[in-house]
Amino acid sequence: MCDSLCDFVTGRTVANVGAEENRQFVEKYLVNVKGYPKDSIVVDFPLSLDLNGDFFETELDLVIHVDGLPMMVIKCAAASLDSRVREVVAAARILFPYHQLPFAVVSDGVTALIHDGISGKKTGEGLSEIPSFADLKEWLCNHRLIPMAPDRVLRQRLVFRTYDTLNVNVHRHTS
């Protein structure tokens, strides 16, 4: 196994640790199969959470934007996908202060679990079930983006942080 590789979306050299090879597969799949422009995909999206004055910084694997709006978060995992669902759904709920992301995905590069980011309900399984770029654009035309109730934000941040701190073999760029 190599120590580093070139990120498909950014062109940056990245450490080949944890689920990095899986992430590279997902990035290529999104662009080549699902029609995402590279500039709609943000790699290592920085996230800073205020937990009642205690700050927690991390990065999200992939955040997908449509017309400048974050719409989907993808967690790339190297192990059990089911164990990462609550983390990615919580991320979809807290990532953006003005609205919850409607799609939360966890993938190992072979398959994927797709969840409604607002309700948390499973909406699909398999890479083919990841919404295409056109699907997200259509969703945006037919639905309203809604914020999370303010009294639920701290709890969802705590849920996310709890799961995120369990990630091992992850290279973080934040300090």
Side-chain angles (χ1 to χ4, degrees):
M1 174 160 54
C2 337
D3 294 326
S4 63
L5 45 88
C6 181
D7 183 79
F8 179 74
V9 169
T10 67
R12 290 188 327 233
T13 299
V14 293
N16 188 9
V17 295
E20 189 58 48
E21 288 178 354
N22 299 353
R23 176 165 66 175
Q24 294 309 308
F25 181 87
V26 171
E27 289 178 16
K28 291 173 186 171
Y29 186 83
L30 291 172
V31 171
N32 296 330
V33 177
K34 292 295 184 169
Y36 287 89
K38 284 185 180 181
D39 65 0
S40 71
I41 303 169
V42 179
V43 177
D44 291 332
F45 188 95
L47 179 62
S48 181
L49 301 176
D50 179 355
L51 305 167
N52 281 342
D54 190 20
F55 288 89
F56 176 75
E57 292 186 7
T58 191
E59 294 173 342
L60 302 174
D61 291 332
L62 303 171
V63 175
I64 310 303
H65 291 76
V66 174
D67 297 334
L69 294 170
M71 294 286 292
M72 179 166 57
V73 60
I74 301 175
K75 169 73 181 170
C76 297
S80 169
L81 299 184
D82 288 323
S83 68
R84 296 298 175 198
V85 168
R86 287 195 62 179
E87 175 184 357
V88 77
V89 168
R93 292 173 175 168
I94 63 169
L95 174 65
F96 197 60
Y98 305 108
H99 72 266
Q100 299 172 81
L101 278 58
F103 299 94
V105 177
V106 61
S107 178
D108 60 5
V110 176
T111 191
L113 299 176
I114 299 87
H115 286 257
D116 179 305
I118 299 164
S119 72
K121 292 180 182 175
K122 186 176 178 181
T123 59
E125 185 169 342
L127 291 172
S128 64
E129 295 297 311
I130 296 173
S132 68
F133 188 69
D135 292 337
L136 291 189
K137 285 185 87 63
E138 182 178 335
W139 189 98
L140 192 55
C141 288
N142 297 312
H143 295 84
R144 204 174 58 108
L145 295 169
I146 59 171
M148 172 167 271
D151 62 331
R152 295 185 60 215
V153 172
L154 180 59
R155 183 171 192 281
Q156 287 300 304
R157 287 177 178 175
L158 291 168
V159 167
F160 173 80
R161 187 217 33 208
T162 299
Y163 282 95
D164 189 69
T165 58
L166 298 175
N167 291 321
V168 294
N169 294 324
V170 176
H171 176 71
R172 297 285 189 222
H173 300 284
T174 56
S175 49

